Amino acid sequence: MLLSINWLREFVPYEGTAEDLGARLTMLGLELEELKHPFAELEKMLVGYIAECDPHPDSDHLTVCRVDVGSETLNIVCGAPNVAKGQYVVVAPVGSSLPGGLAVKKARLRGQESNGIICSERELGLSDDHSGILVLNEALAGPFTPGKKAVDVMGLDTEVLELGVTPNRGDCLSIYGLAREVAVAYNLPLTLPKLDYSGVAANSRALETLRVEVENGDICPVYRLRAIEDLKVGPSPARLRWRLQAMGQRAISNLVDVTNYIMLELGQPLHSFDYHKVRGGVVRVAMAREGEKLVTLDGQERALTPRDITIRDAEGAIGIGGVMGALNSEIDSGSRAVLLEGAVFGPSYIRHTAKRLHLPSEAAYRFERCVDQGMNAYALERAALLIAKLGQGRVSAGCLELELKPWQGPLLPLRLARVEKLIGVPFKPEFCVRTLEKLGCGLKADPNAAKVDKAEGKEVWQVTAPSHRPDLEREVDLIEEVARVYGFENLPETLPMANRPLALAGQPESRFQFVDRVKGWAAGLGLNEVITFSFVGHKELDFLGAPEEGRIYLANPLTSELDALRSYLAPGLLNILRNNLAKGVNDLRIFEFANRFNKDPQSETTASEVMHLGLLLHGERFSTPWPQLAAEADYQDLKGLVEALCAKLGLGAPEFKKSEPALPWLAPGVDLHICGRPAGYLGRVKADLADAYHALRPVWLAEINMDLLYDLHRQVKVNHKPLPVYPPVRRDITVMAPRGLMAEEIMAVIRQSSPPVLENVSMVDLFEPENSSERNLTFRLTYRSAERTLKDAEVDKFREQVAENLTQALPVRV
């Protein structure tokens, strides 16, 4: 929404700067997106007075003018046919530039010196009119002073704030609505323009032969018509045209410009029908008929449905209610009488029609966010008077109206004690009352206030929400308004007290708490969390080779590249990798909690959602090499993360089995089993696929079923045992094994062949000789007895037994 500072000051006496106002409105929830200067290129233009005007001695169409610009009198050669002595004009002096970049320089035209340009509206960028120069004392009322800035004398809207308005604040889609916010913020008086009936003939009887019908109050709560006759179509006054231009609107004619002006000023969209094109003496608001077609004002034929609101006469549709008028009832240069429509339409109907027909008009934008029903009659009256004045016509003495659903604001309680509790700041009752009353609410003391409030001396009110604020539905909405006006930035920064009753102690951990704890674990290990879309593209899934079975297709995707729900987390994580690499971030350790989606005919939604944890490693193992050795992250890092997670959740050691076959994007791939159940996968992304995502080094990826881990974790029972008393004894054993033999198979044999005093076995080193089919794996065996200290001799026997069993069970050497 655009807010002109000059226009705002017609409603509230705001004297501050545009920058200060933008900052204050931002804190009120109306974010300043940009401060515009629509006429910045005219800042150097001056008001000039033509003191002398003589024919050029060497030209039939040029005139030599002596123009007073305050500090000096300039000699300017002008070729406009309407230039004359005694005119006040706009002068572009030497050194300025016209809109479009044309620099104004000294010139000599047929022997006569020219020190500037007397401008037309087109040269000033105000319209396409270049039939002659702009004469200020013909377009404006004055007074005029030579040398003054033209933008000030012309009353141009030189400062315009572009504000972001949230969907629930339809009341702020007008100058008056924003002026209300300014009045509240700065405690200023707010005034509406007075309805000026002077010079307007109100003896039109055009409405006597018309009647209004509305199908039901849900589609149109209120509908009003005024008629204006004997009109003359022409351009709007200069100030109105220039103001519309500053607000991003194109001036069309006096009859059309008024409706746009009132919409911007008061937030009420209006529409004008040519009175003589309405057939049968009836205007009816009703739903369209199936298969009905209508040519709208943009010349496009639109196919309508029974969910579209239409404005109809006795023979058919003459407009799409709240969206756009029809070509068969438009105002044109031959129009002499208009029917002016002021209505409120059902927001959901307008939104459906505007989206379906791709007609995002300014009117539809306001109707779908709720238009102020209480302002409807005033806006229609003001527009009718302006049209009658500008078109020199006669306005109807009355108004045809049907209000099937009169506005009735909800009656909301407001307790001062509740205000202070939620906001955390003590408030004076006067501040709450003043704030809500300036916002348009009605307040009165609540006779049914609770005794506890009366005992504490805290006021309780009954608040009636105004018609322009349908979003005020509960007490907390009113409290938010008080806090908003007080200023969120003024609230003290204090941590809220978190009270957890003792009765909740020992209860099972919720799914949210479980996920939050695992996120804390991941962050503690140096992983960074990422969040990706739930949508992916079928092309990307096909590129990775993901199975098509179970995919969920989107009937109405946001884009063609996001036409499926993700069945794996890999696409999103790999895209995060590509984006980071493009920005120069080469070392990544990231994780993501997200749902995977698959078809499930048995589900109520025909889809299953399973929470997974995705892990991705790329680049250096450590963020800084010192004091660690520089090394790339590899499979052991990824495997270690999974083992650490299982240990954290008390699930025991996970099992890793080589995938046969592996997922299409992994080489190699490993299946993960936890407590004997399939729990996910991990592995290295294929080199050619990693290259497609611009990976510089190997990419290690894992996905773990966290719904399964949550269920398993809830079944874990905590057992206590005494701490070991006797010292451990460790022995290392190096096994030379074929490259295809997995370390887990070797460790399984070690566990089977060892006595109960074997406390732990882990791989501590790996060496792969070049040009050899074998690799050397070193394992550390830890022995400990709970009853005595073990002797070296018996531990050596245990190790020898392990070595013998390994060579017998596996093709290895020790």
Side-chain angles (χ1 to χ4, degrees):
M1 175 64 195
L2 298 180
L3 172 63
S4 161
I5 297 296
N6 284 352
W7 204 348
L8 172 72
R9 287 172 176 152
E10 295 178 10
F11 294 90
V12 290
Y14 175 74
E15 297 298 334
T17 65
E19 290 80 3
D20 291 342
L21 180 61
R24 186 71 180 97
L25 289 176
T26 295
M27 299 312 298
L28 285 172
L30 302 165
E31 183 179 2
L32 175 63
E33 297 180 348
E34 184 181 355
L35 177 57
K36 298 184 175 184
H37 300 275
F39 303 107
E41 295 172 308
L42 306 185
E43 284 293 327
K44 293 184 178 181
M45 308 301 171
L46 304 175
V47 174
Y49 175 72
I50 301 179
E52 299 179 21
C53 185
D54 300 315
H56 192 290
D58 197 23
S59 174
D60 294 335
H61 66 280
L62 296 179
T63 305
V64 180
C65 303
R66 296 285 294 168
V67 184
D68 179 9
V69 292
S71 59
E72 58 181 324
T73 300
L74 302 177
N75 197 74
I76 299 177
V77 177
C78 180
N82 64 329
V83 66
K85 179 181 178 181
Q87 293 175 336
Y88 286 93
V89 294
V90 177
V91 176
V94 172
S96 63
S97 296
L98 296 176
L102 177 63
V104 180
K105 302 177 181 178
K106 287 185 178 181
R108 182 170 292 275
L109 301 177
R110 296 195 178 185
Q112 295 292 320
E113 186 179 85
S114 183
N115 296 295
I117 296 176
I118 303 175
C119 301
S120 67
E121 285 202 37
R122 189 171 75 169
E123 288 168 325
L124 295 172
L126 299 176
S127 73
D128 293 330
D129 183 14
H130 63 288
S131 58
I133 59 170
L134 170 62
V135 181
L136 293 178
N137 48 330
E138 293 179 4
L140 304 173
F144 304 101
T145 304
K148 288 280 188 179
K149 279 189 174 184
V151 291
D152 296 334
V153 174
M154 296 165 68
L156 297 180
D157 296 279
T158 55
E159 294 180 305
V160 176
L161 282 68
E162 184 174 355
L163 303 170
V165 179
T166 53
N168 66 314
R169 295 304 305 274
D171 61 300
C172 290
L173 295 176
S174 67
I175 302 297
Y176 179 65
L178 293 171
R180 185 190 295 113
E181 293 289 305
V182 175
V184 175
Y186 293 95
N187 195 22
L188 298 173
L190 176 68
T191 57
L192 271 173
K194 293 183 179 179
L195 297 177
D196 185 6
Y197 293 90
S198 61
V200 177
N203 57 355
S204 169
R205 304 179 67 179
L207 294 180
E208 294 181 0
T209 58
L210 281 176
R211 72 178 187 276
V212 169
E213 299 175 358
V214 177
E215 191 172 89
N216 65 71
D218 290 330
I219 65 172
C220 182
V222 59
Y223 191 85
R224 291 185 170 93
L225 281 179
R226 295 296 300 267
I228 306 99
E229 292 186 286
D230 300 333
L231 291 167
K232 297 179 182 179
V233 180
S236 298
R239 285 192 190 275
L240 192 150
R241 289 188 286 109
W242 299 339
R243 173 158 285 177
L244 288 178
Q245 180 177 341
M247 298 294 289
Q249 294 281 333
R250 181 174 62 90
I252 299 173
S253 70
N254 53 355
L255 307 188
V256 178
D257 293 347
V258 168
T259 58
N260 289 331
Y261 187 89
I262 296 300
M263 178 185 68
L264 295 172
E265 181 182 63
L266 303 176
Q268 171 66 60
L270 304 168
H271 184 70
S272 297
F273 303 99
D274 189 314
Y275 177 86
H276 298 293
K277 296 178 182 178
V278 176
R279 302 153 296 187
V282 61
V283 175
R284 188 166 186 265
V285 183
M287 307 308 292
R289 299 164 186 167
E290 186 65 51
E292 188 172 11
K293 294 184 178 180
L294 182 68
V295 179
T296 48
L297 290 173
D298 57 2
Q300 300 294 317
E301 185 178 68
R302 312 284 180 177
L304 305 180
T305 72
R307 287 197 62 185
D308 300 325
I309 302 173
T310 58
I311 312 300
R312 318 178 70 84
D313 60 12
E315 298 182 21
I318 57 174
I320 304 175
V323 179
M324 186 175 285
L327 206 60
N328 60 7
S329 61
E330 74 165 335
I331 301 295
D332 55 34
S333 59
S335 298
R336 294 295 175 265
V338 301
L339 278 178
L340 185 61
E341 168 196 271
V344 175
F345 297 104
S348 61
Y349 295 95
I350 301 302
R351 179 172 177 79
H352 171 268
T353 300
K355 292 291 183 183
R356 186 181 64 81
L357 296 178
H358 304 289
L359 281 174
S361 64
E362 289 277 357
Y365 184 79
R366 286 164 173 78
F367 277 125
E368 65 189 24
R369 286 161 175 76
C370 294
V371 167
D372 182 5
Q373 190 168 332
M375 181 61 67
N376 178 263
Y378 173 85
L380 183 66
E381 185 77 0
R382 177 162 164 75
L385 292 176
L386 280 176
I387 289 176
K389 282 189 175 184
L390 301 185
Q392 303 175 30
R394 296 182 296 120
V395 67
S396 58
C399 173
L400 289 179
E401 61 180 334
L402 273 181
E403 192 164 7
L404 299 183
K405 291 184 69 173
W407 168 260
Q408 186 174 358
L411 193 62
L412 307 174
L414 180 62
R415 298 162 289 174
L416 182 60
R418 184 65 174 165
V419 174
E420 296 177 349
K421 182 176 180 180
L422 283 186
I423 302 178
V425 173
F427 282 95
K428 292 183 178 180
E430 295 79 9
F431 176 80
C432 298
V433 170
R434 179 180 65 81
T435 296
L436 294 176
E437 285 183 342
K438 276 191 166 292
L439 288 171
C441 298
L443 280 84
K444 64 178 181 179
D446 188 352
N448 302 315
K451 293 182 180 179
V452 64
D453 290 303
K454 292 181 178 178
E456 295 179 0
K458 301 292 186 182
E459 282 77 1
V460 180
W461 300 280
Q462 288 181 339
V463 181
T464 304
S467 57
H468 60 270
R469 292 299 302 274
D471 59 310
L472 300 180
E473 299 176 339
R474 301 173 297 166
E475 181 184 30
V476 71
D477 295 330
L478 301 175
I479 296 174
E480 182 184 7
E481 293 301 298
V482 173
R484 187 173 65 89
V485 174
Y486 179 78
F488 292 118
E489 72 280 12
N490 297 323
L491 298 178
E493 298 178 0
T494 56
L495 286 174
M497 183 180 295
N499 294 323
R500 184 174 175 84
L502 288 176
L504 298 179
Q507 286 190 354
E509 186 178 43
S510 70
R511 190 170 182 268
F512 173 80
Q513 292 169 327
F514 171 77
V515 170
D516 193 56
R517 187 156 62 91
V518 176
K519 285 183 177 182
W521 162 84
L525 289 179
L527 303 180
N528 294 305
E529 185 179 8
V530 298
I531 300 174
T532 62
F533 286 125
S534 297
F535 309 124
V536 296
H538 285 290
K539 289 183 179 179
E540 189 161 21
L541 290 172
D542 293 338
F543 174 72
L544 293 177
E548 189 169 350
E549 182 181 0
R551 288 191 203 172
I552 298 177
Y553 290 75
L554 298 179
N556 187 25
L558 296 174
T559 68
S560 58
E561 289 79 19
L562 301 173
D563 56 355
L565 287 171
R566 62 181 166 213
S567 51
Y568 290 91
L569 305 190
L573 292 172
L574 290 172
N575 277 312
I576 291 289
L577 170 66
R578 175 165 52 194
N579 292 339
N580 277 270
L581 292 174
K583 293 177 173 60
V585 182
N586 298 325
D587 302 325
L588 285 182
R589 297 168 60 87
I590 60 176
F591 75 96
E592 178 182 22
F593 267 94
N595 285 344
R596 283 181 13 182
F597 302 88
N598 289 95
K599 284 184 180 178
D600 183 3
Q602 306 303 321
S603 171
E604 182 180 354
T605 60
T606 70
S608 66
E609 299 183 38
V610 181
M611 173 70 77
H612 278 71
L613 169 64
L615 302 170
L616 185 144
L617 305 180
H618 175 273
E620 293 293 330
R621 176 174 292 150
F622 302 106
S623 57
T624 55
W626 190 89
Q628 298 87 5
L629 294 176
E632 290 184 1
D634 58 18
Y635 172 73
Q636 296 297 329
D637 295 278
L638 191 63
K639 180 172 177 284
L641 289 173
V642 177
E643 291 173 333
L645 175 61
C646 291
K648 172 75 175 178
L649 301 178
L651 300 179
E655 299 178 40
F656 303 91
K657 299 180 181 179
K658 188 173 181 180
S659 303
E660 295 294 347
L663 289 170
W665 56 90
L666 298 181
V670 175
D671 289 333
L672 171 66
H673 290 75
I674 298 176
C675 299
R677 299 173 63 178
Y681 73 86
L682 59 162
R684 175 176 172 174
V685 178
K686 288 182 177 179
D688 57 336
L689 295 179
D691 289 343
Y693 289 94
H694 305 160
L696 306 174
R697 299 176 181 179
V699 180
W700 299 94
L701 190 65
E703 293 187 37
I704 307 170
N705 185 335
M706 296 308 294
D707 281 350
L708 172 63
L709 266 61
Y710 175 56
D711 292 337
L712 294 175
H713 177 61
R714 297 185 67 181
Q715 299 171 17
V716 171
K717 293 183 179 180
V718 179
N719 295 317
H720 299 276
K721 62 179 182 181
L723 294 173
V725 176
Y726 299 100
V729 181
R730 299 181 176 89
R731 293 289 185 272
D732 289 352
I733 185 169
T734 298
V735 179
M736 289 156 281
R739 290 182 179 267
L741 186 63
M742 295 184 64
E744 183 61 35
E745 297 180 47
I746 301 174
M747 294 171 70
V749 173
I750 293 175
R751 294 189 187 99
Q752 292 172 3
S753 58
S754 295
V757 292
L758 179 66
E759 185 178 73
N760 182 49
V761 56
S762 60
M763 190 175 78
V764 295
D765 194 16
L766 172 65
F767 175 67
E768 297 180 341
E770 293 184 5
N771 304 320
S772 174
S773 61
E774 291 183 331
R775 56 180 183 168
N776 300 341
L777 299 92
T778 301
F779 299 91
R780 178 159 294 165
L781 286 62
T782 302
Y783 296 92
R784 189 199 304 263
S785 172
E787 300 173 353
R788 61 185 176 86
T789 300
L790 296 175
K791 297 180 180 180
D792 287 341
E794 59 183 325
V795 173
D796 290 340
K797 289 183 180 180
F798 295 154
R799 181 190 177 283
E800 291 173 2
Q801 185 62 45
V802 168
E804 182 179 347
N805 290 344
L806 281 172
T807 56
Q808 292 177 357
L810 299 172
V812 299
R813 295 181 294 116
V814 177

